[in-house]
Amino acid sequence: MIRHKKIKVIRVISEFYYLIDKFLFLISPHVLTYEFNDNNSLKRSEAFSPIGIYNIIISFLKTLFGFSLINVLIWITIFSIHNPTMLNQISDILSWRKSWAFIKTIDYKTINAITGFLALLISIFTLIMFRTNLLRSKAKRKIQDEKYEQVIKYQIIISTSLSKCLYLAEKNINYLESRIDYLTSCFCETLSSSNFYFANGELKTRENSNWSLKHNSDMEQLRDFNSFNEELKKIENCLESMNNEFLTQTYFKVNKSSSYERWKLHLNPFGKVMLDQFLIDRNFLLALANNSFDKYSYLFDFFNKVNMLKIGDLSVEQFTEEYKYYTSNSIEDIISREEKNLQRAVIDFKNRLTTTFEDSIYYYILSQQYIRILDKNSKLTLPDWFFGK
């Protein structure tokens, strides 16, 4: 739906897609505990091992029966479908009259005496019998507190670095939108050794071509884009440190609400950070251009030969030698055939730029939301003031 639309339309559609897809992600059971895009074959094999299958089943059961707002709503919906009168029965049981009648029958003095005596017994029993467990629990809590503290520090760095990436990516997206046609024409001109340029979806012959043998695969125009490689490195280092320090589970708990964004952006403490592709980094665009030149380098060589033929550095026989087995090996037919290949190559390059531009808007929205959630999880809230003491 976003293909070949204006940026305002692309953004609106992308945001609707984000909201719908995130909702579907939240209500789906997350069974798999590893990443499909992980390059480590040993990690990928975990899903097919007996222990891996066992962990998947346990994870699935915990997801189904774990206590959460989503699960409560899902189970209420399921029971309501199978037993339509259930809600009426619950509301009847919890009605104010019945609740008040039950409260009035409670003997609070007796309950208070019993609970006080039980608390004393439990305290004495715990001090005598579970002294070691208390010390162990205290040590665990201290280590867990340190883990949470370290994770918060790392995610603040991630949030700050990602914000800088977004600032530069925003400029790149805006710049690419206005330069797609120009970059496509530059690609065409370089690939055809200045014989053609691209305009209005068609090849145009350049009458006075300034022929050069230089294979400018870097396309100097791409140097005007921003690179946020340094910030990406900081993010990658933070994620790698969390993985090495066994903080991954704590990181997931702290940022449970951002699981969708983290999954889509590949910002897990294992695997490679791919934000340079998602948010249009200069180095990624340069790699895209170089890959396209490598793919169609035979056209570059061909049009160099055409220019050499024009100035007399190559004879007709030498030019047509490698095409002698073709059905028609006349110069006009050979050039016409390669012109069509050139047009397909240029359109392919333009489509790749366009797709990169359109998809980057969705990932820009994802990154914005991810930063918002990270900042929210890192700020002090009212419960933090009470429970953080």
Side-chain angles (χ1 to χ4, degrees):
M1 291 176 67
I2 66 173
R3 297 301 174 221
H4 311 295
K5 302 287 195 308
K6 293 187 179 296
I7 193 167
K8 291 180 181 178
V9 178
I10 294 172
R11 174 150 195 165
V12 171
I13 294 173
S14 297
E15 288 191 4
F16 271 118
Y17 175 80
Y18 163 76
L19 294 171
I20 295 169
D21 198 44
K22 182 172 182 178
F23 173 73
L24 294 174
F25 175 84
L26 291 175
I27 66 173
S28 63
H30 309 302
V31 179
L32 297 178
T33 57
Y34 78 106
E35 290 288 305
F36 275 116
N37 64 330
D38 202 314
N39 293 324
N40 192 309
S41 57
L42 183 61
K43 287 183 180 179
R44 288 201 304 270
S45 66
E46 182 183 348
F48 308 101
S49 66
I51 295 176
I53 294 171
Y54 169 78
N55 289 334
I56 288 173
I57 294 171
I58 295 298
S59 174
F60 178 70
L61 293 175
K62 285 182 177 179
T63 303
L64 282 181
F65 301 106
F67 183 79
S68 66
L69 179 61
I70 293 292
N71 273 4
V72 170
L73 293 175
I74 290 173
W75 283 113
I76 288 175
T77 304
I78 292 171
F79 283 122
S80 298
I81 293 171
H82 290 281
N83 186 6
T85 62
M86 184 191 68
L87 293 178
N88 292 332
Q89 293 170 359
I90 294 173
S91 63
D92 185 52
I93 293 170
L94 299 177
S95 64
W96 172 248
R97 287 183 181 180
K98 290 189 177 181
S99 300
W100 179 246
F102 176 74
I103 290 170
K104 288 196 295 183
T105 61
I106 297 174
D107 185 356
Y108 292 102
K109 289 183 179 180
T110 305
I111 292 174
N112 190 40
I114 293 172
T115 53
F117 180 69
L118 287 175
L120 179 63
L121 283 179
I122 291 170
S123 299
I124 295 171
F125 185 71
T126 302
L127 288 172
I128 294 172
M129 301 297 296
F130 297 101
R131 175 65 178 167
T132 304
N133 288 346
L134 284 172
L135 292 173
R136 186 168 60 217
S137 300
K138 186 178 179 180
K140 284 181 181 179
R141 181 174 179 179
K142 183 180 179 181
I143 292 172
Q144 196 65 20
D145 289 345
E146 290 174 354
K147 284 186 175 182
Y148 274 92
E149 184 179 344
Q150 196 63 30
V151 164
I152 295 295
K153 287 180 181 178
Y154 280 133
Q155 74 179 34
I156 288 174
I157 297 172
I158 291 173
S159 178
T160 304
S161 298
L162 187 54
S163 296
K164 293 178 182 177
C165 291
L166 276 190
Y167 172 74
L168 297 173
E170 186 178 307
K171 292 186 174 182
N172 286 351
I173 292 170
N174 185 60
Y175 188 59
L176 182 58
E177 181 193 18
S178 61
R179 305 292 280 182
I180 288 178
D181 289 337
Y182 176 70
L183 291 171
T184 303
S185 187
C186 290
F187 175 80
C188 175
E189 187 175 344
T190 306
L191 201 60
S192 66
S193 298
S194 302
N195 284 288
F196 299 94
Y197 65 96
F198 195 77
N200 300 321
E202 294 181 353
L203 289 180
K204 306 288 185 181
T205 304
R206 189 177 295 282
E207 299 298 336
N208 299 317
S209 61
N210 183 17
W211 176 46
S212 172
L213 278 172
K214 182 182 178 183
H215 187 179
N216 186 15
S217 58
D218 279 344
M219 285 181 64
E220 292 299 325
Q221 295 78 10
L222 295 177
R223 300 284 178 187
D224 296 333
F225 287 86
N226 296 294
S227 175
F228 38 86
N229 192 53
E230 290 184 11
E231 300 304 326
L232 290 182
K233 196 64 181 174
K234 292 179 184 178
I235 295 172
E236 201 166 58
N237 288 339
C238 286
L239 294 171
E240 186 177 349
S241 296
M242 281 193 281
N243 190 28
N244 294 337
E245 296 169 22
F246 301 100
L247 299 173
T248 53
Q249 293 303 318
T250 308
Y251 173 66
F252 294 153
K253 288 178 183 178
V254 172
N255 298 293
K256 189 176 180 180
S257 55
S258 67
S259 55
Y260 173 79
E261 291 81 4
R262 188 180 66 243
W263 172 58
K264 282 287 188 178
L265 293 170
H266 295 196
L267 287 176
N268 289 312
F270 34 78
K272 179 176 172 55
V273 174
M274 302 174 67
L275 286 171
D276 55 335
Q277 302 176 34
F278 298 153
L279 296 176
I280 311 182
D281 177 71
R282 179 181 64 207
N283 295 333
F284 170 72
L285 289 176
L286 287 170
L288 187 151
N290 280 324
N291 289 338
S292 295
F293 276 112
D294 291 341
K295 182 178 179 181
Y296 299 108
S297 59
Y298 71 93
L299 291 171
F300 175 78
D301 296 334
F302 173 80
F303 286 105
N304 273 331
K305 290 179 181 178
V306 171
N307 286 332
M308 293 171 66
L309 180 66
K310 288 179 181 178
I311 63 174
D313 285 351
L314 194 68
S315 67
V316 174
E317 290 75 16
Q318 289 174 318
F319 180 81
T320 57
E321 174 64 24
E322 62 182 286
Y323 302 99
K324 62 184 178 181
Y325 299 110
Y326 281 52
T327 305
S328 174
N329 62 347
S330 67
I331 293 178
E332 292 78 11
D333 290 340
I334 293 170
I335 294 176
S336 176
R337 184 166 49 245
E338 297 304 334
E339 284 178 8
K340 292 177 181 177
N341 289 336
L342 174 65
Q343 178 155 341
R344 281 193 287 268
V346 174
I347 290 174
D348 176 55
F349 178 74
K350 183 180 180 180
N351 287 340
R352 292 185 68 185
L353 284 181
T354 304
T355 302
T356 300
F357 160 72
E358 291 167 347
D359 290 345
S360 69
I361 297 171
Y362 172 65
Y363 289 107
Y364 178 83
I365 294 167
L366 273 174
S367 301
Q368 276 188 323
Q369 296 304 310
Y370 185 68
I371 291 171
R372 183 185 63 80
I373 296 170
L374 282 188
D375 289 343
K376 180 182 176 182
N377 291 339
S378 301
K379 289 178 181 177
L380 280 172
T381 60
L382 189 61
D384 294 330
W385 287 105
F386 286 103
F387 298 110
K389 298 297 184 182

